[in-house]
Amino acid sequence: MSSAAHFGFERDIVEMESQIVRLREMAAQRGLDVSDEVRVLTAKLEDLREETYRNLDPMEQVQVARHPRRPYTLDYVETVFTDWFELKGDRCYRNDEAIVGGWGRIGERSVMVIGHQKGRDMKENLRRNFGMPHPEGYRKALRLMKMAEKFGRAVVTLIDTPGAYPGFGAEERGQAEAIATNLREMARLRVPTVSVVIGEGGSGGALALGVTDRILLLEHSIYSVISPEGCAAILWRSAEKRAEAARALRLTSSDLLKLGVADEVIPEPPGGAHADPPATMANVGEVLARNLSELDAKETDLLVRERWARYEALGTWIEPAEG
């Protein structure tokens, strides 16, 4: 891990990695056998990495969820799914590359795969608009969901966005309406639907792909009504309060599982998804296949009724007793 790619809370991990590198270099220069010492240090490193990532605070979880080396939607498309065929455009305005979608197979099952897509460098991020969709992105997603419904195929969505794009053009073309329409139509799709939060799930921009029968979260992903920075700016008028906002938002996978928002948390390798993308994607593929099989066994009307009941039950409260 390069110094440019580590977080502050990984300082001890990076130092131990450097020790192992220096030890190997010294051994190579002097012709020494240090395999036993390296083995001991490597074991300590793995223990330290596991302990560190087991005790992250909410703002540290946010940092990991945003890591630029985490697998993105197209990485999952290449590994978890086969026979990928991308479908583009909303048939109204243009193709929004912040959302990708198309047919794919997971095992022998044909599914519609739709997800947010970020870029790895500035050029790609400008093309993908940093994973922030315009309304035509959501309309494309809805077009593909309706196509899946027409052919009786399940829908899989991969969520990873800081939120919908808030620019003037997006608002003029009906950003709020596009998101609201997706919420309504996803709630009544007559096919199984599963979403996986693979990184950052922010606000309505994430929810527009997230009204599904099952919501799965990667261990270090986040899912929230607003970013910690946005929350801090509104409540405290200061970005310095972002850590406090992250705690208050209850946006971690463990919080969301306790609240009943998430159905299952998918474990990540020690060090996070970016430390071992192949293992992460294998875990996601296995859990996805299992959940799709469980949903396949449900009768369609029951599937829709249970989906409605699920979202009607969220956000309930208890009135205080009078007096």
Side-chain angles (χ1 to χ4, degrees):
M1 179 182 299
S2 69
S3 59
H6 74 267
F7 304 116
F9 62 81
E10 293 180 304
R11 188 178 300 108
D12 293 340
I13 295 173
V14 174
E15 177 57 32
M16 190 169 289
E17 288 176 334
S18 298
Q19 288 179 20
I20 294 172
V21 171
R22 289 196 299 268
L23 182 60
R24 284 174 169 157
E25 289 175 348
M26 181 193 70
Q29 291 170 0
R30 300 182 183 180
L32 302 175
D33 180 8
V34 294
S35 55
D36 289 341
E37 290 83 351
V38 169
R39 188 160 46 249
V40 170
L41 282 175
T42 300
K44 288 182 178 180
L45 173 63
E46 293 307 312
D47 289 343
L48 177 60
R49 183 178 283 118
E50 187 170 346
E51 181 181 2
T52 299
Y53 272 77
R54 189 169 55 244
N55 296 293
L56 297 177
D57 67 34
M59 196 61 212
E60 290 168 345
Q61 293 269 30
V62 172
Q63 290 178 277
V64 177
R66 294 171 175 171
H67 198 289
R69 292 208 308 264
R70 284 179 77 85
Y72 293 156
T73 291
L74 289 177
D75 298 313
Y76 287 94
V77 163
E78 291 176 3
T79 56
V80 174
F81 303 93
T82 58
D83 299 329
W84 166 252
F85 186 84
E86 186 173 1
L87 300 168
K88 300 182 179 183
D90 66 342
R91 299 296 185 268
C92 180
Y93 184 68
R94 70 179 177 100
N95 181 51
D96 184 352
E97 297 198 70
I99 288 182
V100 296
W103 293 111
R105 289 186 180 275
I106 181 165
E108 297 301 315
R109 180 186 288 104
S110 176
V111 297
M112 182 66 76
V113 187
I114 304 166
H116 302 98
Q117 180 64 29
K118 298 177 179 177
R120 297 287 179 195
D121 55 32
M122 184 55 67
K123 181 179 179 181
E124 183 71 5
N125 262 320
L126 290 173
R127 175 188 169 197
R128 302 289 182 182
N129 201 37
F130 296 86
M132 296 185 292
H134 291 76
E136 47 270 21
Y138 296 116
R139 290 176 180 133
K140 172 172 69 173
L142 181 58
R143 180 176 76 85
L144 301 189
M145 292 176 201
K146 288 294 188 180
M147 183 183 297
E149 182 181 49
K150 177 180 179 180
F151 291 105
R153 298 291 185 261
V155 174
V156 173
T157 66
L158 302 176
I159 295 172
D160 188 15
T161 180
Y165 185 61
F168 285 117
E171 297 296 341
E172 289 171 348
R173 295 193 301 278
Q175 184 74 286
E177 183 275 337
I179 292 172
T181 299
N182 276 28
L183 304 186
R184 182 191 68 198
E185 295 302 316
M186 288 192 78
R188 58 194 190 190
L189 280 176
R190 296 183 62 78
V191 290
T193 55
V194 180
S195 57
V196 187
V197 184
I198 58 175
E200 180 180 15
S203 192
L207 194 59
L209 297 187
V211 183
T212 52
D213 298 307
R214 299 281 171 87
I215 298 177
L216 315 175
L217 274 80
L218 276 172
E219 183 180 358
H220 299 304
S221 63
I222 60 169
Y223 198 31
S224 176
V225 66
I226 192 172
S227 71
E229 294 86 354
C231 178
I234 292 171
L235 296 184
W236 292 283
R237 300 185 185 280
S238 171
E240 298 299 319
K241 294 286 189 178
R242 59 184 176 273
E244 188 173 342
R247 288 192 295 273
L249 286 168
R250 314 250 332 248
L251 45 62
T252 68
S253 61
S254 57
D255 284 333
L256 293 161
L257 191 64
K258 292 174 187 174
L259 290 169
V261 175
D263 294 289
E264 186 172 348
V265 174
I266 304 172
E268 295 186 28
H274 60 279
D276 191 348
T280 302
M281 292 185 282
N283 288 346
V284 169
E286 180 182 337
V287 174
L288 253 181
R290 171 166 49 77
N291 276 273
L292 286 168
S293 294
E294 292 169 1
L295 292 171
D296 280 344
K298 292 180 180 285
E299 188 267 336
T300 301
D301 287 337
L302 175 62
L303 198 69
V304 176
R305 285 199 304 272
E306 288 184 346
R307 191 186 306 144
W308 271 95
R310 172 202 179 95
Y311 290 98
E312 285 178 338
L314 291 176
T316 57
W317 68 90
I318 300 173
E319 294 283 358
E322 295 184 3

